[in-house]
Amino acid sequence: MVLAGITHARGVDLFICECTFFDGEDPSHMTYQQIRDKLPHLESKKIVLTHMGREMLAHRNDIPLETAKDGMVV
């Protein structure tokens, strides 16, 4: 289960998380909805979403989290 791995990011300085879809469920990829629901428990200093599909890219400006861009340096 993909969500099991998200708990390992708790309290990290930088959490780079794949976020293929905006909502729904997929057994192989994270969705923004799943990440959003876990945000209060993550306590990560910085979160950057990456590996975004068309649906997620269409919502990129609607979410408060930072999203990766080509050539981005962190």
Side-chain angles (χ1 to χ4, degrees):
M1 176 180 217
V2 176
L3 279 178
I6 203 168
T7 59
H8 297 295
R10 186 174 186 185
V12 299
D13 291 335
L14 174 61
F15 178 35
I16 300 173
C17 183
E18 69 97 7
C19 185
T20 304
F21 304 106
F22 184 73
D23 59 14
E25 290 188 29
D26 184 281
S28 302
H29 296 284
M30 294 293 296
T31 68
Y32 175 70
Q33 182 181 36
Q34 292 170 318
I35 296 166
R36 184 195 62 214
D37 292 346
K38 295 289 184 187
L39 280 176
H41 307 289
L42 282 174
E43 301 171 1
S44 301
K45 291 180 184 174
K46 182 173 184 147
I47 299 172
V48 179
L49 303 180
T50 188
H51 192 67
M52 295 170 285
R54 281 190 187 138
E55 177 192 27
M56 187 56 203
L57 289 170
H59 289 281
R60 172 184 252 170
N61 296 323
D62 302 330
I63 64 169
L65 296 177
E66 188 171 356
T67 58
K69 295 158 189 70
D70 289 344
M72 180 179 185
V73 176
V74 180

